[in-house]
Amino acid sequence: MDFAAIRSRLAGAEGRLYWRSLAELSDSLEFREYLHREFPEQASEWNDPKGRRSFLKLMSASLALAGVGACTRQPPEDIVPYVRQPEEIVPGRPLFFASAIPMSGIAKPVLVESHMGRPTKIEGNPEHPASAGAADAVTQAAVLGLYDPDRAQTVTYRGEVRPWSAFMGAMQSATSGQKGSKGAGLRILTEPVTSPSMAELLATILQDYPAARWHQFDAIGSDGARNGIKQAHGSAANAVYHFDKADVILSLEADFLSPSGIGSVRYTKDFADRRRVTDENKHMNRLYIVESSPTLTGAKAEHRLAIKSSEIEGFARRLASTITGQSSSAASTPAPGGQLGEKWVAAVAKDLQEHRGRSLVIAGDYQPAAVHALAHAMNQALGNIDATVTYGPAIEAQTVDQHASLAELSNAMEAGQVQLLLILGNNPAFTAPADLKFAERLAKVGLIVYHGLYHDETADLAHWNVPQTHPLEAWGDARAYDGTVTLMQPLTEPLYDAHSAYEVLTTLTTQPMRKTTEIVKDYWMRAFGAGVWTIRNAQGETFNNAEAFWRQAVHDGFISGTAALATPFAPAPKPGAAAGAPGTAAAATTTDTAQAPSDPSTPATGSAQPPAPTPTPSPAPQTAGGLELIFRPDPHVLDGRFANNGWLQEAPKPLTKLTWDTAAWISPRLAETRGLDRGDVIELRYRGLTARMPVFIVPGQPDESVTIFFGYGRRMSGRVGNPPEEARAFNAFLLRTSDAPWFGSGLEISKTGERYLLATTQDHHAMEGRYPARVATIAEYEKEPEIFKHMGGHVPPRTLTLLPEVDYKGYKWGMAIDLASCTGCGACVVACVAENNIPVVGKEQVDRNREMHWIRVDHYFTGDIDRPESLQAIHQPVPCQQCENAPCEVVCPVAATTHSSEGLNDMVYNRCVGTRYCSNNCPYKVRRFNFLLYSDWYTESYYSQRNPDVTVRSRGVMEKCTYCVQRINTARIDAKKEDRAIRDGEIVTACEATCPADAIVFGNLNDPDSRVSKLKAQHRNYGVLEDLNTRPRTTYLASLRNPNLELEPAGERTTGH
Amino acid sequence: MHREPAVPKLYGLMAEFDDANALVAAAKRTYAEGYRKMDTYSPFPIEPAWEAMHVHDRPVSFFVLCGGIVGMIGGFGLCWWVSTTAYPLNVGGRPLNSWPAFIPVTFELTVLIASFAAVISMLALNGLPMPYHPVFNVPSFLRASQDRFFLAIEATDPKFDPARTSEFLKSLGPKEVNEVPA
Amino acid sequence: MESTPARASGYKPPPPVIEPGHTFESVTSKISSVVLTKYQPVGWIITTLIAFMFLNLMIVSVSYLFLKGIGIWGNNVPVGWAFDIINFVWWIGIGHAGTLISAILLLLKQDWRTSINRFAEAMTLFAVACALMFPLIHTGRPWLAAYWLLPYPNGMGIWPQFRSPLIWDVFAVSTYGTVSALFWYTGLIPDLATFRDRAKHRVTRMIYGALALGWRGSARHWQRYENAYLLLAGMSTPLVLSVHTVVSFDFSIGIIPGWHTTIFPPYFVAGAIYAGFAMVLTLAIPLRRMFNFEDFITMRHLENMAKITLVTGLIVFYGYLTEVFFAYYSANQYEKYMIINRMTGPYAWSYWMLIFCNGLVPQTLWIKRLRTNPFWLFIMSLIVSIGMWLERFVIIVTSLHRDFLPSSWGMYYPTFWDFSTFFGTIGFFTTLMFLFVRVLPMISIFEVRTLLPQSKIEGAEGH
């Protein structure tokens, strides 16, 4: 046993150091083997529920490492609660703090619910323009990541536990070595940086080490958008779209309604607002989309043209020349998609031109720069600039082509020019394009410091590993998709020995001891009132002092009015020198910095742009023939960063409803010709690279394209994300090359003969003429408002009963869900999971139809599978319908589920014996049964995440949606204290709160003025399976489509009755 | 059993037959003789045998009727009281007193109590269980449960006289006549 | 005593429900010798051992179930019930023949019942015991089911919910079990007395003596006994019909297409009798062989049971046809789809096997040669049992797995534990059955005596 190590570690420990055994403390070889042995090998047990349980018992012992207890303590710094002051903490009453979850450097503004210092739930920040109260699935699931017991927990050097002080020492000596060469051997690799304070810190370092280089890489970022705007705009800029002003939208493979996209939360809201049809106002926008593999945006579109990803540029060119009227060579070349394509070009061009200034052309993140430039050109020609699309200054401190940047670093490593490499997050060893051979070239680097949340693939190759603080553990700032500066405040002390990126970077500066708080706060203190940042409060007034501004900003979670300003990239003034404002040296900054527009108050205008040049065509794909391979980030685990998040793994992926795995999407016809079936494992050969994938047959996928998703096949993600042996090769990064990051041709696939189990939560996507989800065109609806009532079975008259009506006095809760707004993003599912302590059951159980989600998003296809353009998808969120004549209640032998006086279909867990009769008798099948002990009772770190207001269910108990009864009761208590009735909108269910489209509305049906009553009065309102006389309290507003008659004659209808 | 061999105290006299018809005939004659405290024993029910002794009591039926009524009232009462008074809940919008739903339980309880009444009253009236009875003292009585038929006249019968009664029994043509010690 | 006066005086013998030439003595000794002997047939030993192995399998399965929860089975949402309830209904159905034979046939004065009613009743008891297990274990937490389903005043102030068919089940099945046991025991008392008087060993004499309650065959007792027995029969008759009616409510009260059907009560009752008689045949044929009871369980018995099986089989088959007709006639799209799904869906094999087992095979009983062929009857009875199990599989699984919303449709796949629990209960049942024939008279001796010509009294119209 190495006592020296023990002493050094205890000596170096900051604050309390938790250790269980001397063996662990001395970090002896055997002990590490013990830990490591249990990680990857046994991880396969995770999928097996029984295995997982025993496994967790085992792990909870070996993982009772540093300071789980710490998470119940308030951080030492002074942070400002959102609704009331911290000293007002009342046990049982949560506090809400505004913060942000950065993704790829962009802030997703959130409101964090904290119970006695334990962050338990993430919701959107209602006051923030980028959120308006909504949050997407991945953002909400971040709270689970905070408590993930698999997080990196201690600073290590070559795998041995070291104190932070030792790391600082190591960095001092390493940097002193660089002083001479002006840091020629120093490289820093980060995600895109929008954080002003971080930018200043980086600038300062680069000032000290002029020869050092700063690289940025984000595997799922959009170089196309960056470069396209530069092409069209002259300099880097940030395009912001305003769907709330657009009547006709053409998406060139832009998935702006994606479940995890940057800014898609706000975009979804705006888009939905523009099609919120009522009996009074029947105005509705129209969406055309040209895309390859189906997306949620495509599912929402009135018209969808499915062509290869590589053909979209051609289409854009033809359309652009038609719209701008510039007779270019493109005009003559036929449009992709054959006759249909031609028809499209004509119809869409006409429609767009008829809506000048109210139309919008948006290019997809995964399309090359040329397409973005074309979209810009069309918008300009259509007069949409400043109307439906505005260009702000670049929000990234330095806008670079990220694949080029990483390639440069990789070559430098190859050349042996890199002595000291700091990698801040994003696991490049896993996410780097295969052709850069990044992982193996790391071996040529002198000293690698990796700063990550997990001990992942990159950490495994690094020398020094510094655990990263979770966004909920550290101060920081970042900019939202629209540029609004958003502040992050810690909700808890770091659970483990983790450090923020600031602290890691300070070790390169002259003041290595600075704390994150100081750095961030100091920056904004200096920024206050000075030059670059014009700081106003929401009302546009100035603050009387910096402290007031700071408190307000932290309280709100963002600094209003900062969207229109560029992120300065300038070093901080030398300590000792008069504290100048940040960015005073902005002029002296390096190339590519976005120029702040002359007048910050108004964003750069289209007229200010040089006339859009006809963009240079992007290089044609080198090898024709073969199939087209399309890369996409996984909708939930993205590039794999969330692979270890059980909520996201189990949340059904949009359209396929696949959980826990990835799959290669192929069209039904391709499947037919290649003799492939769902779950067949294929080998993909592409540019000399190979990978394997199970196939999933997706209607609407182009026949010549195969779409694969990043994020799977991670060997070192943790016990949730580590794949079984046979799934290790399901890794899309194995095929990615830096020259064609998003699609390329020349793919060959072959059937391996192996099968792989794909667990989905919905197998049947046809409605069988039962119309649970109803849709009609706006024209049909105008002609016959009652149309939706006639779909589905005959509804018996309410009088047709021998029994007396139950009269619900007082409150009468109900819910209305607008299918016209719902995009099927699934944010509500994760919100419900977080709010109601819903357990993760694992892949095998999902495959047995035992998933526990209280709300599910059903997805139905209509149309002809062989004519992708005729396909329509519709999404329908299904929580408990809270039937007044609940079939489930009558059959329960022990009255474990009965009606409350307010008409809630209550479930009494501790009375339930588990006969499952209620579930059998539920026509909506919304009840969920704990077939095994699903709730994780063994992993201590998860205890703190649970919502204390909701029971953690045990084995053998039935459960289901309760309309968030805990929230109802909280509101009732407040109302009683103030001796008043509960106000409309005071109770917001978890799903309603987070819905980006505001599709879900909850309220009191006895109040004729409540929003829900008004919605239920609409003609579009109908109840699912009302013909069974269940009298559901949850009803739906039928979906509407606004098709262009030129593309869809009124006769041809694929839905309705 | 403990008794004085010198002056044996008598329970009665018992004639043994090996034929059911003979037993019935004998029973008729014995009754005609005026004997009342008598009984016949057979390995299976012989209706003429108890008709011969003019035994007619049907109290079991009465008890069964009572049991049935108690069960019915109790069963419905339970459902009704629980659903409307003790545990009134809105179950699927149904009225508290959903009487049609109470009928199955009512019926089952009716049958249950009535059946218990039948068996228990039958045993009670028969004075069972009764581990000891004097007739078992006759060695050959073992076959009363197999293939022999017995006619016993008890000593407590007013007309009983050890000598004359024994003579009378012998006149019935039995296999043999035994004294039944008490 | 071959020639009795009765025979001399032109006494007409009844049709031979037992072979002629028997005396009280021969009947008594023949039946009781099965028990009061040291000799066991090899067949008995082997069967009992195999059955006991399966009984242990059941114990293991159930213990593991209590440890882990019902997740070890294949049940899921939408198919919340599967083998557990299928087996429950199957066993309850089998448990109907006994009481039916002893009660209804008694009231109908079918004297041929006497030589089969005793072990048919025993079979009923054991089948009901197996059936009762499933409602208890199907929650995976029997300790709750046991004390929360019965109505009793408690500190929690909670009561059962009397609108639920499951509560009706609790009452119906437990009442049925209790009354059957009473009926069975009452019938046993005189025969226990016989055993008491024949037993050689002191201990056996004590045991049977205690059980016989001191029965001495007094005419006064016999008179009340017959009275009570008749009343029990009278009450058991509606009871036996009510039990499967209530069981059928478990489904017909539900709203699931394929469950919500008014024809269920009669068709379930018929099915129960059908399955019950099949099981009686399955047991009677080997047993009469094993213990040479051909004299008591004659071809007439087998043929009569075969006829009842045929009749009830036809009723059941009619039930199937009615379901199809009304699915079409109701013009209800859910009902229509349900039938189409049964016939052509993923579980179509079970439906067509069901039609084969319960619809076609019993038709062979129209032919007298097959009807009187014990071997065929045995095979046929097994096929019928399989068919009845499949009937419940079709009703429960295929109705649930595709109900109203296509989005929630799913499949059900049984696991090892589903099968082990099911076969375990068969072992449990068989073990009890074979132990029973070794310790109690499997044929009612005193009632057989009344069938002997010697028991007929001149001038009396018989009892």
Side-chain angles (χ1 to χ4, degrees), chain A residues 850 858 891 910 912 916-917, chain C residues 73 80 84 141 148 164 250 407:
Chain A
R850 292 175 181 175
D858 287 348
V891 297
N910 51 4
C912 176
R916 309 184 295 294
Y917 199 172
Chain C
W73 294 340
D84 43 6
R141 300 185 300 163
W148 273 3
S164 167
D250 288 349
S407 60

Side-chain angles (χ1 to χ4, degrees), chain A residues 810 812-813 982-986 1001-1018:
Chain A
K812 181 175 174 181
W813 306 121
I982 301 175
R983 299 188 198 92
D984 184 38
E986 192 175 353
V1001 173
F1002 174 87
N1004 177 7
L1005 301 181
N1006 277 349
D1007 168 8
D1009 302 330
S1010 67
R1011 298 161 306 152
V1012 64
S1013 301
K1014 292 206 178 80
L1015 282 178
K1016 282 177 186 278
Q1018 293 286 318

